[in-house]
Amino acid sequence: MAHMIPRSADDYQPVDWQSDYANAIKDPRELIDYLQLDPNALPYQLSPNNSFATRVPWFYAELMHKGDPCDPLLLQVLSRIDEEEVSPKYVSDPVGDLNAEVVPGLLHKYHGRVLLITTGACAVHCRYCFRRHFPYTHSNPLKTELPRVLSYINDDPGINEVILSGGDPLSLSNERLRQIITSLEAIPHLHTLRLHSRLPVVLPSRMDRDLLDSLSATRLKVVLVIHANHAQEISTELVLACKTMQTAGITLLNQSVLLKDVNNRVSSLKALSQALFRAGVLPYYLHLLDKVAGAGHFEVDRQQGLSLMHELRKQLPGYLVPRLVSEVAGEASKQPVI
Ligand SMILES: *Cc1c(COP(=O)(O)O)cnc(C)c1O
Ligand code: SF4
């Protein structure tokens, strides 16, 4: 599903997803400029030099509204000075991932399912990401550790689902994904393959024919959990990609993070659920922000989360209401917020 991405007004050319992926915006000033914003009249300050680099695919930038410095998509990817704020409540591994690592890159926290960090790479860098400090270079199993990962899963018949995560697993090539899927489907007690990816949202061209073919050819039941936080992220291209995936028998769910100034209003959460439904995607989780250092300015407290949910339940059918959860290190599942 190649599409046309304008690099500039007079430079349209068809590109494949790899070049879309590589050609991301890496300088916040370029994004500001593209959105026709005055860098000296922003209602916030930019972060001068940030260890978590800027990365925004052009496709995603095009979904933003020009001239609006508080665009809900822009705020998710623009490094503001608030990221420098240090608070003892905000730490580098808020969800205890490193304690759940059973083989480098393989997290076994919950019964029946394991999560595989397939790559550290993402198409977009979300400023609130709880993995922004994760030591990916040490926990990238696919270079050397795949045999150990496979033998761990093979030795535990209680595991029936593998979640490919990251980073973003769809950053990998189709060929690499196919190798991983082939190794996994050879393990008889596995019946579900889940992918957690933001690529369908930020770069729908990633959902190409070849990927669809691999996902529909496997004997494993495939679940794709996309990650959209705002209705404005549900593009025509995403809807088309989702329709194709649905036809291929893939179960489509969405997870979001509750983010201050992005989606912490009943109207935005409602519009998001409705837009997802039009794309054939059901809302799954709405996460309270993980307290990762550098993301404090996105916090919505539990009380506001609860009252938003209360209102949302009144306005939507039950199947369009996501579960509000938080991740508590050491717990046996994500914790419902009640
Ligand atoms: C979130 C998560 C899962 C999946 O949890 P579900 O409730 O099944 O969606 C599995 N493993 C880890 C380490 C996770 O963080
Ligand atoms: S795509 Fe996901 S893993 Fe990557 S930066 Fe965004 S939230 Fe984090």
Side-chain angles (χ1 to χ4, degrees), residues 55-286:
R55 200 183 162 91
V56 185
W58 279 101
F59 178 87
Y60 192 66
E62 285 159 23
L63 299 176
M64 298 173 187
H65 293 153
K66 291 200 168 150
D68 181 4
C70 295
D71 179 273
L73 280 52
L74 175 63
L75 293 184
Q76 294 179 58
V77 295
L78 191 64
S79 54
R80 286 169 280 164
I81 196 115
D82 315 68
E83 290 188 23
E84 325 276 310
E85 205 169 293
V86 181
S87 150
K89 271 187 1 184
Y90 283 79
V91 298
S92 70
D93 178 23
V95 301
D97 268 352
L98 297 176
N99 288 331
E101 198 168 27
V102 287
V103 170
L106 187 70
L107 308 182
H108 193 181
K109 259 194 202 174
Y110 305 148
H111 182 78
R113 53 233 197 265
V114 286
L115 185 146
L116 182 58
I117 309 271
T118 54
T119 167
C122 290
V124 64
H125 286 177
C126 315
R127 308 316 301 180
Y128 54 84
C129 180
F130 76 100
R131 293 219 172 97
R132 53 183 290 161
H133 306 288
F134 200 72
Y136 284 118
T137 42
H138 305 294
S139 299
N140 196 341
L142 294 194
K143 295 216 176 82
T144 52
E145 304 282 356
L146 192 58
R148 272 177 77 197
V149 163
L150 293 170
S151 87
Y152 180 89
I153 300 172
N154 204 44
D155 288 348
D156 184 348
I159 299 171
N160 49 49
E161 175 172 13
V162 174
I163 301 166
L164 304 185
S165 182
D168 200 309
L170 293 183
S171 299
L172 300 176
S173 69
N174 287 333
E175 192 185 10
R176 195 72 186 105
L177 282 166
R178 198 146 38 233
Q179 287 166 350
I180 298 169
I181 297 171
T182 307
S183 320
L184 291 173
E185 67 192 355
I187 302 175
H189 51 266
L190 287 183
H191 55 60
T192 305
L193 174 73
R194 196 196 311 181
L195 292 102
H196 282 178
S197 175
R198 191 143 157 76
L199 265 157
V201 172
V202 302
L203 208 73
S205 59
R206 175 64 189 95
M207 312 311 292
D208 61 9
R209 191 69 254 165
D210 196 29
L211 175 65
L212 259 296
D213 288 345
S214 304
L215 296 180
S216 37
T218 175
R219 71 164 182 87
L220 300 167
K221 176 75 196 152
V222 180
V223 182
L224 175 64
V225 184
I226 68 168
H227 172 178
N229 298 314
H230 195 277
Q232 212 174 303
E233 295 178 328
I234 313 301
S235 62
T236 315
E237 290 83 350
L238 173 68
V239 174
L240 282 172
C242 287
K243 292 264 146 74
T244 322
M245 287 184 274
Q246 248 187 333
T247 315
I250 297 168
T251 298
L252 297 172
L253 302 171
N254 180 61
Q255 55 180 344
S256 312
V257 182
L258 187 54
L259 299 166
K260 182 164 179 279
D261 300 333
V262 173
N263 59 10
N264 60 329
R265 297 209 324 225
V266 179
S267 56
S268 354
L269 293 172
K270 183 178 173 186
L272 173 61
S273 277
Q274 289 172 330
L276 285 165
F277 187 57
R278 282 193 291 276
V281 182
L282 289 177
Y284 179 40
Y285 283 145
L286 175 62

